[in-house]
Amino acid sequence: MNMIPLGSTDIKLSRMGLGTWAIGGGPAWNGDLDLQICIDTIVEAHRCGINLIDTAPGYNFGNSETIVGQALKQLPRDEMVVETKCGIVWEREGSLFNKVGDRQLYKNLSADSVREEVETSLQRLNIDCIDIYMTHWQSVPPFFTPISETMETLNALKAEGKIRAIGAANVDASHIREYLKHGELDIVQAKYSILDRALESDLLPLCREHGIVVQVYSPLEQGLLTGTIARDYVPGGARANKVWFQRDNMLRVIDMLEQWRPLCDKYRTTVPGLALAWILKQSDLISILSGATAPEQVRENVQALSIALTDEDALMMRRMAEALDHV
């Protein structure tokens, strides 16, 4: 497994991590998954050389963290990098975020809230220290907390040994610059796929400049880039309102993936393997979160790490995706 350094820490990250939003189940994913398969998936990730497991309290109200905690009992703790988040709450006040099922989520990055969250996450995960602690969504009015104050709390948690590294998800370049004024920011989590390349404009160059790892989520656009979505598929749950799952867009993506078939043959890989390999080629400081929900999906996804796309083929794939933006 290819490894990359995490900022100035002594942590090394696998270039592919396991994202566990879907494993958490719940209304966003049309119900819970089989618990044993979820645990087996996390264990298989370790067997395949993946050391990074990403979770969050907001993934089905703590259920994802609880499942990860159960899986960690079967794994060598010193070989795993556990990443979870703060800032999305449902049992206290905050700025409105979104609703999952009949429960409202809120944004809250106040000192008291973050300290309460870190303790409950440690309990669910059944560990003594969180390797990477990340702000999940950034603070907004009316319950606004300046980044300087949030970083003061995170730096204190780091000094106390409750967390080892600090990350921020769903940020823009101005957020990153503000974080860096008040301490070390080791990793940024952002959405990135061959269909959604927005971070290339300023976020990716800024992270390169400061040696910040860019951790990519939804690299397969919630399954659309797996090549397994049928033309008559009707999206539900978390997919229902996504731009690329709107029918006309979905069909155009499926057409593009069919054009990838010669490349699949050339590299002896699958459609998702190509999609992941394309992302890895964009920067040496990119780590991908793969949202696998079964052991065989983990095995398939890690194959992308051994694909060496040529510059010409990567450019051809980019041009195909860019063409979808202008139809």
Side-chain angles (χ1 to χ4, degrees):
M1 174 65 68
N2 298 326
M3 310 293 280
I4 54 176
L6 179 65
S8 61
T9 73
D10 59 356
I11 299 172
K12 295 286 193 296
L13 298 181
S14 50
R15 287 206 72 193
M16 183 173 291
L18 180 67
T20 62
W21 181 21
I23 277 177
W29 295 97
N30 298 318
D32 293 348
L33 305 180
D34 181 274
L35 176 60
Q36 190 57 55
I37 292 176
C38 292
I39 292 173
D40 290 346
T41 301
I42 297 168
V43 172
E44 181 68 11
H46 171 260
R47 194 193 67 79
C48 290
I50 291 173
N51 73 346
L52 174 69
I53 309 297
D54 170 83
T55 184
Y59 298 161
N60 197 17
F61 308 97
N63 194 49
S64 174
E65 285 187 326
T66 299
I67 293 170
V68 170
Q70 292 182 41
L72 287 173
K73 294 176 183 177
Q74 302 181 29
L75 297 170
R77 176 67 183 95
D78 61 344
E79 295 180 12
M80 305 307 297
V81 178
V82 179
E83 173 178 88
T84 194
K85 308 179 188 77
C86 59
I88 297 300
V89 300
W90 59 92
E91 293 176 331
R92 69 188 72 94
E93 289 186 311
S95 303
L96 284 176
F97 181 44
N98 64 8
K99 208 167 187 178
V100 178
D102 59 356
R103 302 175 78 178
Q104 180 66 51
L105 291 170
Y106 302 91
K107 294 180 179 180
N108 189 329
L109 281 172
S110 66
D112 289 346
S113 185
V114 171
R115 282 199 166 272
E116 186 172 335
E117 280 203 83
V118 78
E119 295 300 336
T120 52
S121 288
L122 287 167
Q123 290 170 17
R124 292 190 199 105
L125 292 162
N126 195 32
I127 56 178
D128 299 321
C129 176
I130 295 165
D131 299 302
I132 302 172
Y133 202 46
M134 184 174 284
T135 53
H136 199 163
W137 285 87
Q138 301 312 299
S139 185
V140 296
F143 288 82
F144 177 70
T145 302
I147 287 173
S148 58
E149 293 182 21
T150 298
M151 277 295 281
E152 182 179 2
T153 305
L154 295 175
N155 287 330
L157 292 173
K158 194 173 176 181
E160 294 162 18
K162 292 184 184 294
I163 66 174
R164 296 174 66 194
I166 295 170
N170 303 300
V171 288
D172 59 29
S174 65
H175 290 135
I176 293 173
R177 292 188 182 96
E178 187 65 20
Y179 273 93
L180 290 172
K181 288 180 185 176
H182 304 286
E184 294 181 347
L185 184 66
D186 300 303
I187 187 167
V188 161
Q189 192 179 100
K191 187 178 184 300
Y192 186 38
S193 76
I194 196 168
L195 296 176
D196 184 349
R197 303 172 304 281
L199 65 76
E200 293 180 347
S201 59
D202 53 6
L203 191 147
L204 190 57
L206 180 62
C207 287
R208 280 200 195 104
E209 178 187 345
H210 292 279
I212 299 170
V213 171
V214 177
Q215 188 177 64
V216 173
Y217 69 82
S218 292
L220 298 178
E221 286 290 341
Q222 294 187 327
L224 182 56
L225 293 174
T226 62
T228 61
I229 301 292
R231 289 181 175 273
D232 59 356
Y233 174 73
V234 178
R239 291 170 166 170
N241 296 318
K242 300 300 182 185
V243 170
W244 288 110
F245 275 97
Q246 303 312 301
R247 181 155 183 79
D248 288 347
N249 292 337
M250 185 181 77
L251 293 176
R252 289 189 291 120
V253 173
I254 291 172
D255 288 340
M256 179 187 75
L257 300 183
E258 289 176 355
Q259 295 177 56
W260 286 9
R261 293 300 173 184
L263 289 175
C264 292
D265 294 338
K266 177 179 178 178
Y267 291 100
R268 297 181 181 179
T269 189
T270 60
V271 166
L274 270 182
L276 297 176
W278 184 88
I279 289 175
L280 290 168
K281 188 170 176 63
Q282 307 310 307
S283 171
D284 291 336
L285 279 178
I286 282 180
S287 175
I288 288 178
L289 284 180
S290 159
T293 54
E296 58 269 22
Q297 293 175 3
V298 176
R299 292 191 291 271
E300 179 180 341
N301 289 342
V302 295
Q303 293 175 11
L305 295 163
S306 61
I307 298 171
L309 279 181
T310 66
D311 292 344
E312 293 77 15
D313 287 340
L315 181 59
M316 180 172 64
M317 291 172 66
R318 178 184 288 273
R319 295 288 182 255
M320 288 182 186
E322 287 176 345
L324 301 185
D325 298 337
H326 305 299
V327 174

